[in-house]
Amino acid sequence: MTTDRTMVLERVIKAPVSVVWGAWMNPETLPHWWGPDGYSCRTSRIDLRAGGEWVFDMIGPDGTVYPNHHRYTVVDPQRRIDYTLHWGENGPKHADARADFQDLGDAAKVTLSMTFITAEEYQTAKGFGAVELGLQTLGKLARFIGAD
């Protein structure tokens, strides 16, 4: 059972799912909106396909650098992306993530779920505000595509 270590975030974005998907799966645009408010991304490598990866640093408003490594396992166009989250390039895995895209006609519902390796890691993430920060990230996506 993973309910004690799974975080689920949802947002309805007032844009067609094709537009939302396009902003998420474009190596030119993803780094522009990814991360909470005030954060930026510096990409080392990006290959957004099953078997691909994104190696990047998230840079906080105070200049703190947070190394990240996403490894993509499933890419089902306009429906689903599965990936693993690692602490820095080839670092330890800390979560399995999944983004689901539901077509609502003139809007898209994005559901981002992260299953952390341990319940303790989930509680730590929750404690530093990961829910709010994740929702800010989805808000940045909506603003980036002009749907907010």
Side-chain angles (χ1 to χ4, degrees):
M1 194 88 156
T2 60
T3 55
D4 65 336
R5 55 191 178 93
T6 300
M7 185 177 294
V8 178
L9 311 171
E10 294 181 339
R11 181 169 178 123
V12 173
I13 298 175
K14 296 176 185 124
V17 73
S18 61
V19 172
V20 176
W21 176 268
W24 197 301
M25 291 305 292
N26 181 330
E28 298 296 319
T29 59
L30 177 61
H32 288 284
W33 62 263
W34 186 263
D37 293 340
Y39 285 70
S40 62
C41 291
R42 179 175 54 218
T43 298
S44 297
R45 286 191 316 278
I46 190 166
D47 181 8
L48 303 174
R49 62 176 175 84
E53 62 186 351
W54 182 24
V55 179
F56 65 102
D57 292 329
M58 220 163 28
I59 303 163
D62 64 356
T64 303
V65 175
Y66 302 92
N68 283 264
H69 189 175
H70 294 181
R71 293 180 184 211
Y72 297 91
T73 55
V74 173
V75 174
D76 184 1
Q78 298 187 35
R79 287 198 190 108
R80 174 177 154 197
I81 306 163
D82 290 8
Y83 55 102
T84 57
L85 306 174
H86 299 264
W87 296 115
E89 186 169 6
N90 299 314
K93 180 171 101 169
H94 65 96
D96 291 306
R98 176 175 170 159
D100 289 290
F101 301 80
Q102 183 181 356
D103 187 347
L104 303 176
D106 61 347
K109 180 178 177 184
V110 178
T111 304
L112 181 58
S113 58
M114 293 162 282
T115 302
F116 292 85
I117 299 302
T118 65
E120 293 76 25
E121 219 171 314
Y122 166 76
Q123 289 301 328
T124 298
K126 198 171 162 189
F128 75 67
V131 171
E132 295 80 6
L133 298 172
L135 290 172
Q136 287 178 18
T137 298
L138 294 177
K140 278 176 67 178
L141 168 59
R143 287 191 302 279
F144 181 81
I145 61 176
D148 191 40

